[in-house]
Amino acid sequence: MIGKIDRDILLAHARTIASSGGKAVPEGATELSDLEVCGAAEITAMTRAAAERDGGVLVSSGGTTGTPKLTYLPHHMAFDRLLPVWRPLGVGDVVLNLYDAGRMWGTHYFVQKLAERTESTVIPSGPMTAEELELRLPMLREVGVTALASVPSVLADFAEMVLKTGVKPPVKTIIWMGEAWTESKRELVRQAFPDVQLWGIYGSVETWAMGSNRPGCDETTLHLLADEIFELEDAGALLTRAGEGWTVPVVRYRLGDRIEAARCRCGRGDAFRVLGRADDGFGLLGNYVNIADIVDSARQCPDVVDAQLVLVRDTDLADSARSMTVEYTGTAAPEAVRTWLTGSNVRLGTVDSQHPEAISARRVDRLRRIARTNKTPGAVWQDALGSGS
């Protein structure tokens, strides 16, 4: 477990939110583990009840291939909780908000509220194509953009265009969330902006901000906010938070990520790392493998910069593949990448010995993105005819 909340406070809190849509507290409950795990339905019910009293911002996650998960965010967006420990902007800063504002995605509005609360200037741009960015870089330098906000994939694109054109806005701050850094993306940003400071947030639409990373931290380490607890489980960590001023005062909400406790060079407590999605595995011809493990291994192959998997579905099962292609950027030969992976992963080696045609590697100029968020996924699924998601 990471974090600490007094037991009596926690149980009283659980009873309070049970009356507004949360899970009922079982008779005789004395410990956190006695309380039921809650899900998206409880979050929607609790936040909708609050919005009917005080108003809010309705945002959603999902909705591309499944039913959207709705959260009604209070207009304050819990910034009184966050700003005492995480304040990347101040008076005089100009932040370029490159997050997508469409389809009820929450992160764009997070950056807008951050600029409002820190009395900084915001440019609500949304994502730009390479051509648009090249055209606008002189303007962004002229207006004095000091901060960028987006996912690491988009931030790396911005840095690449700065290096290509030599037109460099006075960026000193990077605000990132939504996906993890890769070494190549972080290095590209630091080449363009050698003295930039990185400020990260870990959260979700359902929970909003849960943890933060700031200059002085290890760049893979985050810290819980005060009055939060993580229960660490392989099926996904459970989040509990108490007190006032949250977007969602949840008890034992199941996250989709696996979390581990960590130490951070900054010395602050309640540090953790995100290991990846709890549902990150898939079956490949009878062998169960992990997407993050394969992608991380591919990135360690000599002359590979970045990688992702393209999986062809074997059946109607969501997590079963008949073949796997590793698409990668860099100068490595495809057969070298394939040999590296089958030699370093026992289960891929087993598949290779029985079905060598099921594993391949392909060099590409650019990895695939999720169109609505500009994130670079670890894996892309396709059906046997080539259409994908």
Side-chain angles (χ1 to χ4, degrees), residues 37-372:
V37 174
C38 79
E42 286 76 31
I43 283 183
T44 300
M46 288 187 291
T47 59
R48 183 171 185 170
E52 288 172 350
R53 297 190 305 270
D54 304 316
V57 181
L58 178 58
V59 293
S60 78
S61 63
T64 300
T65 59
T67 303
K69 299 175 183 177
L70 301 179
T71 304
Y72 294 77
L73 296 173
H75 289 296
H76 61 71
M77 294 189 185
F79 272 97
D80 285 344
R81 286 273 180 182
L82 183 60
L83 289 177
V85 295
W86 189 84
R87 196 179 188 96
L89 301 176
V91 176
D93 277 320
V94 179
V95 57
L96 178 64
N97 183 358
L98 292 166
Y99 281 101
D100 195 327
R103 300 294 190 274
M104 300 164 67
W105 315 139
T107 314
H108 182 89
Y109 306 105
F110 176 96
V111 177
Q112 301 302 104
K113 177 60 71 171
L114 171 64
E116 176 189 331
R117 287 296 306 271
T118 57
E119 300 178 89
S120 52
T121 298
V122 61
I123 304 174
S125 164
M128 287 187 271
T129 66
E131 292 77 14
E132 289 171 330
L133 179 56
E134 185 171 6
L135 179 66
R136 287 166 172 74
L137 270 176
M139 176 272 289
L140 297 174
R141 182 171 65 182
E142 182 180 343
V143 301
V145 168
T146 61
L148 306 175
S150 196
V151 295
S153 292
V154 172
L155 296 168
D157 289 346
F158 191 100
E160 189 172 27
M161 188 58 69
V162 167
L163 293 170
K164 173 187 172 182
T165 63
V167 180
K168 182 178 178 179
V171 172
K172 63 181 182 179
T173 300
I174 293 285
I175 299 167
W176 62 274
M177 49 195 142
E179 69 177 4
W181 286 101
T182 65
E183 185 176 345
S184 62
K185 291 170 185 172
R186 189 165 48 228
E187 178 60 26
L188 199 57
V189 166
R190 292 207 179 279
Q191 285 180 28
F193 306 107
D195 300 320
V196 76
Q197 293 188 325
L198 303 183
W199 296 77
I201 284 291
Y202 172 66
S204 69
V205 165
E206 296 91 346
T207 63
W208 219 232
M210 294 179 281
S212 67
N213 171 284
R214 65 191 190 192
C217 290
D218 297 315
E219 290 169 351
T220 59
T221 303
L222 300 120
H223 299 265
L224 277 177
L225 302 178
D227 302 323
E228 290 185 319
I229 288 175
F230 274 159
E231 295 174 77
L232 308 182
E233 297 189 0
D234 288 340
L238 299 173
L239 170 69
T240 296
R241 51 169 57 134
E244 301 297 324
W246 295 108
T247 55
V248 185
V250 295
V251 171
R252 306 197 82 201
Y253 175 71
R254 176 81 69 189
L255 305 177
D257 293 327
R258 291 178 295 115
I259 304 291
E260 72 173 3
R263 293 179 180 271
C264 185
R265 67 187 180 203
C266 75
R268 289 191 293 153
D270 294 338
F272 65 94
R273 291 189 185 90
V274 181
L275 300 178
R277 300 292 297 172
D279 58 355
D280 199 27
F282 67 97
L284 180 61
L285 300 176
N287 290 268
Y288 195 74
V289 291
N290 184 276
I291 293 170
D293 288 348
I294 299 172
V295 171
D296 287 345
S297 179
R299 288 171 179 158
Q300 294 168 27
C301 179
D303 300 320
V304 168
V305 175
D306 204 353
Q308 69 185 173
L309 308 184
V310 178
L311 306 173
V312 177
R313 289 188 176 90
D314 185 31
T315 66
D316 291 335
L317 297 176
D319 61 351
S320 182
R322 63 191 295 181
S323 68
M324 178 193 86
T325 299
V326 181
E327 293 191 340
Y328 65 94
T329 56
T331 59
E335 189 56 34
V337 175
R338 186 185 182 285
T339 300
W340 175 276
L341 290 173
T342 56
S344 60
N345 187 295
V346 172
R347 290 177 178 171
L348 289 185
T350 299
V351 174
D352 183 45
S353 68
Q354 299 172 350
H355 306 280
E357 74 287 350
I359 300 174
S360 61
R362 179 167 56 237
R363 185 170 54 236
V364 296
D365 293 329
R366 176 185 169 99
L367 300 182
R368 308 181 193 209
R369 300 277 181 92
I370 300 172
R372 63 186 175 87

